PDB file of all heavy atoms in Angstrom:
ATOM      1  N   PRO H 226      -2.445  22.147  44.994  1.00  0.00           N
ATOM      2  CA  PRO H 226      -3.487  21.953  46.015  1.00  0.00           C
ATOM      3  C   PRO H 226      -2.955  22.111  47.436  1.00  0.00           C
ATOM      4  O   PRO H 226      -1.782  21.812  47.717  1.00  0.00           O
ATOM      5  CB  PRO H 226      -3.963  20.520  45.762  1.00  0.00           C
ATOM      6  CG  PRO H 226      -3.654  20.276  44.321  1.00  0.00           C
ATOM      7  CD  PRO H 226      -2.368  21.006  44.065  1.00  0.00           C
ATOM      8  N   GLU H 227      -3.815  22.584  48.322  1.00  0.00           N
ATOM      9  CA  GLU H 227      -3.407  22.912  49.688  1.00  0.00           C
ATOM     10  C   GLU H 227      -2.854  21.718  50.460  1.00  0.00           C
ATOM     11  O   GLU H 227      -1.936  21.867  51.271  1.00  0.00           O
ATOM     12  CB  GLU H 227      -4.587  23.512  50.460  1.00  0.00           C
ATOM     13  CG  GLU H 227      -4.977  24.913  49.999  1.00  0.00           C
ATOM     14  CD  GLU H 227      -6.095  25.496  50.845  1.00  0.00           C
ATOM     15  OE1 GLU H 227      -6.420  24.896  51.891  1.00  0.00           O
ATOM     16  OE2 GLU H 227      -6.643  26.554  50.463  1.00  0.00           O
ATOM     17  N   ASP H 228      -3.408  20.511  50.234  1.00  0.00           N
ATOM     18  CA  ASP H 228      -2.987  19.374  51.056  1.00  0.00           C
ATOM     19  C   ASP H 228      -1.593  18.859  50.731  1.00  0.00           C
ATOM     20  O   ASP H 228      -1.048  18.015  51.436  1.00  0.00           O
ATOM     21  CB  ASP H 228      -3.997  18.221  50.979  1.00  0.00           C
ATOM     22  CG  ASP H 228      -4.254  17.741  49.573  1.00  0.00           C
ATOM     23  OD1 ASP H 228      -3.760  18.361  48.617  1.00  0.00           O
ATOM     24  OD2 ASP H 228      -4.973  16.722  49.424  1.00  0.00           O
ATOM     25  N   ILE H 229      -0.977  19.415  49.656  1.00  0.00           N
ATOM     26  CA  ILE H 229       0.393  19.026  49.329  1.00  0.00           C
ATOM     27  C   ILE H 229       1.333  20.235  49.340  1.00  0.00           C
ATOM     28  O   ILE H 229       2.542  20.082  49.488  1.00  0.00           O
ATOM     29  CB  ILE H 229       0.441  18.313  47.953  1.00  0.00           C
ATOM     30  CG1 ILE H 229       1.793  17.611  47.741  1.00  0.00           C
ATOM     31  CG2 ILE H 229       0.133  19.260  46.816  1.00  0.00           C
ATOM     32  CD1 ILE H 229       1.844  16.756  46.486  1.00  0.00           C
ATOM     33  N   ALA H 230       0.753  21.431  49.244  1.00  0.00           N
ATOM     34  CA  ALA H 230       1.563  22.642  49.074  1.00  0.00           C
ATOM     35  C   ALA H 230       2.512  22.906  50.240  1.00  0.00           C
ATOM     36  O   ALA H 230       3.616  23.436  50.044  1.00  0.00           O
ATOM     37  CB  ALA H 230       0.644  23.849  48.869  1.00  0.00           C
ATOM     38  N   LYS H 231       2.110  22.545  51.455  1.00  0.00           N
ATOM     39  CA  LYS H 231       2.926  22.875  52.618  1.00  0.00           C
ATOM     40  C   LYS H 231       3.749  21.699  53.148  1.00  0.00           C
ATOM     41  O   LYS H 231       4.393  21.805  54.209  1.00  0.00           O
ATOM     42  CB  LYS H 231       2.023  23.412  53.729  1.00  0.00           C
ATOM     43  CG  LYS H 231       1.343  24.727  53.356  1.00  0.00           C
ATOM     44  CD  LYS H 231       0.440  25.238  54.470  1.00  0.00           C
ATOM     45  CE  LYS H 231      -0.250  26.535  54.067  1.00  0.00           C
ATOM     46  NZ  LYS H 231      -1.153  27.040  55.142  1.00  0.00           N
ATOM     47  N   LEU H 232       3.753  20.588  52.429  1.00  0.00           N
ATOM     48  CA  LEU H 232       4.538  19.426  52.879  1.00  0.00           C
ATOM     49  C   LEU H 232       6.024  19.691  52.686  1.00  0.00           C
ATOM     50  O   LEU H 232       6.430  20.374  51.731  1.00  0.00           O
ATOM     51  CB  LEU H 232       4.116  18.174  52.115  1.00  0.00           C
ATOM     52  CG  LEU H 232       2.694  17.657  52.380  1.00  0.00           C
ATOM     53  CD1 LEU H 232       2.415  16.429  51.524  1.00  0.00           C
ATOM     54  CD2 LEU H 232       2.513  17.321  53.859  1.00  0.00           C
ATOM     55  N   PRO H 233       6.851  19.160  53.561  1.00  0.00           N
ATOM     56  CA  PRO H 233       8.299  19.375  53.449  1.00  0.00           C
ATOM     57  C   PRO H 233       8.863  18.809  52.149  1.00  0.00           C
ATOM     58  O   PRO H 233       8.457  17.756  51.679  1.00  0.00           O
ATOM     59  CB  PRO H 233       8.868  18.623  54.660  1.00  0.00           C
ATOM     60  CG  PRO H 233       7.729  18.478  55.606  1.00  0.00           C
ATOM     61  CD  PRO H 233       6.499  18.384  54.765  1.00  0.00           C
ATOM     62  N   LYS H 234       9.811  19.530  51.583  1.00  0.00           N
ATOM     63  CA  LYS H 234      10.510  19.117  50.367  1.00  0.00           C
ATOM     64  C   LYS H 234      11.763  18.312  50.740  1.00  0.00           C
ATOM     65  O   LYS H 234      12.307  18.506  51.818  1.00  0.00           O
ATOM     66  CB  LYS H 234      10.890  20.339  49.549  1.00  0.00           C
ATOM     67  CG  LYS H 234       9.706  21.065  48.923  1.00  0.00           C
ATOM     68  CD  LYS H 234       9.292  20.387  47.642  1.00  0.00           C
ATOM     69  CE  LYS H 234       8.626  21.324  46.666  1.00  0.00           C
ATOM     70  NZ  LYS H 234       8.420  20.696  45.363  1.00  0.00           N
ATOM     71  N   PRO H 235      12.242  17.462  49.832  1.00  0.00           N
ATOM     72  CA  PRO H 235      11.694  17.169  48.513  1.00  0.00           C
ATOM     73  C   PRO H 235      10.454  16.299  48.607  1.00  0.00           C
ATOM     74  O   PRO H 235      10.268  15.569  49.578  1.00  0.00           O
ATOM     75  CB  PRO H 235      12.833  16.419  47.821  1.00  0.00           C
ATOM     76  CG  PRO H 235      13.527  15.701  48.937  1.00  0.00           C
ATOM     77  CD  PRO H 235      13.472  16.667  50.100  1.00  0.00           C
ATOM     78  N   ILE H 236       9.630  16.384  47.571  1.00  0.00           N
ATOM     79  CA  ILE H 236       8.432  15.549  47.514  1.00  0.00           C
ATOM     80  C   ILE H 236       8.629  14.481  46.434  1.00  0.00           C
ATOM     81  O   ILE H 236       8.844  14.797  45.259  1.00  0.00           O
ATOM     82  CB  ILE H 236       7.174  16.377  47.218  1.00  0.00           C
ATOM     83  CG1 ILE H 236       6.860  17.301  48.408  1.00  0.00           C
ATOM     84  CG2 ILE H 236       5.977  15.473  46.915  1.00  0.00           C
ATOM     85  CD1 ILE H 236       5.680  18.219  48.209  1.00  0.00           C
ATOM     86  N   ILE H 237       8.607  13.255  46.896  1.00  0.00           N
ATOM     87  CA  ILE H 237       8.711  12.102  45.997  1.00  0.00           C
ATOM     88  C   ILE H 237       7.301  11.566  45.833  1.00  0.00           C
ATOM     89  O   ILE H 237       6.661  11.171  46.817  1.00  0.00           O
ATOM     90  CB  ILE H 237       9.643  11.025  46.599  1.00  0.00           C
ATOM     91  CG1 ILE H 237      11.030  11.630  46.856  1.00  0.00           C
ATOM     92  CG2 ILE H 237       9.734   9.805  45.698  1.00  0.00           C
ATOM     93  CD1 ILE H 237      11.863  10.851  47.857  1.00  0.00           C
ATOM     94  N   GLY H 238       6.759  11.604  44.606  1.00  0.00           N
ATOM     95  CA  GLY H 238       5.331  11.390  44.419  1.00  0.00           C
ATOM     96  C   GLY H 238       4.949  10.177  43.599  1.00  0.00           C
ATOM     97  O   GLY H 238       5.716   9.681  42.767  1.00  0.00           O
TER      98      GLY H 238
END
Side-chain angles (χ1 to χ4, degrees):
E227 290 183 10
D228 56 354
I229 193 173
K231 296 179 181 179
L232 293 179
K234 291 278 207 171
I236 292 177
I237 302 160

